[in-house]
Amino acid sequence: MALKRILSILAIMCILALAGPVLAVPAAEDLSQPLPPGDAREASPATIAFAKGDTLADNLPESMKVMGRYNVTIDPAEVFTIQPINLDNPIEVKRDTPIGALDAVARTGALNYSTFLRTADNRLILDSIDDYLYQQGQFWFVIYENGSYITSDTDVWGYSVSDGETIWFIYCDLTDYEPRYESRLDHAIAGLSIKVTHGTNVTPAPVTPAPVTPAPVTPASVTPAPVTPAPVTPASVTPAPVTPAPVTPAPVTPAPVTPAPVEEQSLIDVIAANDNLSFFAVLLNATDLVTTLQSGGPYTVFAPSNDAFGNLSREAFSRILVDENERTRVLSAHVVNGSYTAADLLNMTQGGNTTTLRTLAGENLTVSANGSVLNVNNAMIIVPDISASNGVVHIIDEVLGLPAEGPAPTTPAVVTPEPTMPPGVVLPPPTPAVETPGPTMPAVVTPMPTMPTAR
C-alpha cells in the first residue's frame, strides 16, 4: 500500500512538472486536447466531446428516432421570455441560444417543450420535448461545434449559435450505460436538428394552415362488360396417411451458474475500475483515505467525475495536488458514514425537504431532490448506486468542499523534476518554467489517466 501511495505522489509530481508554473496563472485555461477521429471522450452527462470533423450522424445509432430537421431564421439581438416549470415568474433569454432556436421551431407548431432552471449553478435544462421527459437516467443534450470540438451539454442557454450553424438536440437513456465500454450516444433514443440563419427583426410566429376546399369531381360513367365464368371441375385429391414417429425428449439438466459476487469488491476497487473516476482514484491513492475505503465502512462516496476536476480553476487544482493536508480534507468532504442508495436519499428528501449528512472532514452536505434528480450541495448525482462490499458510490458532476479562491501555495523549484510521462497521457499546455530541469524520472511511474476535459 505504501509503494502504491508513493507511485501516486510521483505521478502527481509529473503533472506539476509538465504543467509548468501553474500557480502564477490567474485564470483557468482551456485544458481540452484534440482527439483522434471517431474517439469519444468519457465524460459526465453534462458534457461529451468529439473530435472536430466527425460526422455526428455516424455517432448516432440507426435505431434513434429523428424527430425532425428544421431551418429557422432568428434575430440574434432579440430577447424573449420563457417560463421554467420550477419558477413562479418567467425569465428572459437571448434568441441566439440553443433554447432560442428550439423556441423558434416550437412557435411554428412543430413541437412542444418545457424547461427548468437549476438555480444552484444557473443552468437551464430541458425538461421535455414532446413526449420525451427528463427523468432518472434519461437526459436531453444540445450538441454544437465549439472551437476545436463538437460538444454536448445539458445547459441550453449558455452558448451563442452562429449564423448558418446547425445544432442537434439528442435524448439519451443512460439507465444501463457502462462508461468503461460504451459511448453515451450509443444510447440515443430520439433527436432533432436545427439550422439557424441570422436575420433582422425576425420573430417566428405560429403557422396556421390555410383551409383547403376540394374541387367537386364528377365521376365518368362506366358500363362494365358482362363476364361469364368458365366452369371449373376440381380434381379429387386423396391425402396419403401420415404416421408421426414417436419422439422421446431427452432430459435437460441446466448447469449451475455461480455469479461473481459484487460484495468482494471494496469501495476502492469499484472506484479504480471506473474509467470516469480515474483521477479521483489517483488522488485517493496519495492519501490515507485509501486504507479507510478499502476495509472500513460502510461509507457513501460522492465521487467527482474526471470532468468535475477538469472544470476546476488552476489555483484550486494546484492546491489539491501540492498540499497533502488540503488533498486529504477535500477528498474526505466526499465521504459520509453509512450506506445511502439513491432510493434512500429520495425518501429522505420527499416533499421538497432537504437532509444533511456529515462528512469525514467534519463538514455538512445538503442533499435535495428536483423530481427524481438528486443534488448534493451544488453538485448533481449523474451516475447513482455503484455498489461495493463496504458501501455505495454515486458519481457527481462537481468537486465538493473547495475553499474560496485565493493565492495558491508555492512549491520550491528544487523539488520539481522534469519527468518522462508514459505514452498516451494528455496534459494541459505547459507554460515554460523558470527552473532548470532536473534529472529524468525513473520509469517505475505507472501510466497516468488522461486529464479530464473542461466542459
Side-chain angles (χ1 to χ4, degrees):
M1 186 66 69
L3 177 60
K4 190 173 183 181
R5 182 179 179 184
I6 291 173
L7 294 179
S8 296
I9 294 174
L10 290 175
I12 291 176
M13 293 175 64
C14 292
I15 296 175
L16 290 174
L18 291 186
V22 297
L23 305 181
V25 180
E29 297 179 358
D30 182 8
L31 305 181
S32 58
Q33 296 293 329
L35 299 175
D39 183 17
R41 189 187 299 277
E42 292 299 336
S44 73
T47 303
I48 306 173
F50 299 91
K52 183 178 181 181
D54 280 2
T55 301
L56 179 60
D58 293 341
N59 293 295
L60 301 174
E62 295 181 359
S63 60
M64 189 195 84
K65 176 183 177 182
V66 177
M67 301 167 63
R69 296 176 182 268
Y70 303 100
N71 295 279
V72 295
T73 300
I74 65 170
D75 180 359
E78 180 188 354
V79 175
F80 68 103
T81 60
I82 61 174
Q83 178 63 64
I85 62 173
N86 62 323
L87 299 183
D88 295 331
N89 298 314
I91 59 175
E92 292 187 340
V93 182
K94 291 187 64 179
R95 178 63 70 184
D96 65 340
T97 55
I99 192 62
L102 184 68
D103 179 79
V105 174
R107 287 172 179 260
T108 68
L111 53 83
N112 295 304
Y113 75 94
S114 61
T115 61
F116 69 90
L117 183 66
R118 202 168 74 183
T119 55
D121 54 3
N122 201 40
R123 294 173 65 85
L124 187 64
I125 311 294
L126 272 175
D127 176 68
S128 69
I129 298 181
D130 288 345
D131 296 329
Y132 296 96
L133 306 178
Y134 185 106
Q135 53 192 321
Q136 187 76 26
Q138 297 176 338
F139 307 92
W140 273 106
F141 301 102
V142 57
I143 300 182
Y144 52 84
E145 185 173 320
N146 185 8
S148 301
Y149 302 96
I150 294 176
T151 301
S152 175
D153 200 337
T154 53
D155 183 27
V156 294
W157 73 342
Y159 174 72
S160 295
V161 184
S162 58
D163 186 19
E165 183 176 358
T166 297
I167 59 175
W168 278 78
F169 290 89
I170 301 297
Y171 184 73
C172 297
D173 183 354
L174 304 182
T175 304
D176 299 320
Y177 168 62
E178 174 50 67
R180 290 177 292 177
Y181 310 116
E182 299 176 297
S183 165
R184 288 182 176 85
L185 291 190
D186 292 338
H187 293 261
I189 298 175
L192 60 94
S193 67
I194 305 175
K195 182 176 181 181
V196 177
T197 303
H198 288 183
T200 304
N201 296 325
V202 177
T203 302
V207 175
T208 303
V212 178
T213 304
V217 178
T218 303
S221 59
V222 178
T223 304
V227 178
T228 304
V232 177
T233 304
S236 60
V237 177
T238 303
V242 177
T243 303
V247 177
T248 303
V252 178
T253 303
V257 178
T258 305
V262 176
E263 288 73 15
E264 294 180 358
Q265 294 185 326
S266 69
L267 287 166
I268 286 295
D269 295 330
V270 299
I271 290 171
N274 193 306
D275 289 345
N276 204 19
L277 299 177
S278 55
F279 199 77
F280 185 61
V282 168
L283 293 177
L284 282 175
N285 285 330
T287 68
D288 293 332
L289 275 175
V290 67
T291 303
T292 302
L293 299 182
Q294 183 71 48
S295 56
Y299 297 112
T300 299
V301 181
F302 299 102
S305 67
N306 289 342
D307 278 343
F309 285 102
N311 288 334
L312 294 179
S313 68
R314 281 181 176 265
E315 289 80 0
F317 184 69
S318 62
R319 284 192 187 92
I320 299 174
L321 293 181
V322 173
D323 189 335
E324 180 178 358
N325 292 332
E326 177 68 1
R327 180 166 60 251
T328 300
R329 186 195 66 79
V330 170
L331 297 185
S332 298
H334 295 78
V335 183
V336 300
N337 282 303
S339 181
Y340 298 98
T341 65
D344 295 332
L345 297 175
L346 286 171
N347 288 334
M348 296 163 66
T349 55
Q350 283 184 347
N353 295 321
T354 61
T355 189
T356 301
L357 301 176
R358 190 78 167 173
T359 71
L360 298 189
E363 302 172 4
N364 289 332
L365 298 180
T366 300
V367 181
S368 59
N370 185 358
S372 58
V373 179
L374 286 164
N375 295 293
V376 182
N377 288 359
N378 292 337
M380 180 173 67
I381 295 180
I382 55 178
V383 180
D385 294 342
I386 303 176
S387 298
S389 60
N390 58 335
V392 63
V393 177
H394 306 294
I395 300 180
I396 58 177
D397 64 353
E398 291 187 19
V399 179
L400 305 173
L402 294 177
E405 289 293 331
T410 57
T411 305
V414 294
V415 299
T416 305
E418 184 68 27
T420 300
M421 290 297 291
V425 175
V426 181
L427 292 173
T431 304
V434 179
E435 298 82 5
T436 303
T440 303
M441 179 67 64
V444 296
V445 178
T446 55
M448 282 291 298
T450 302
M451 285 291 294
T453 59
R455 286 199 294 267

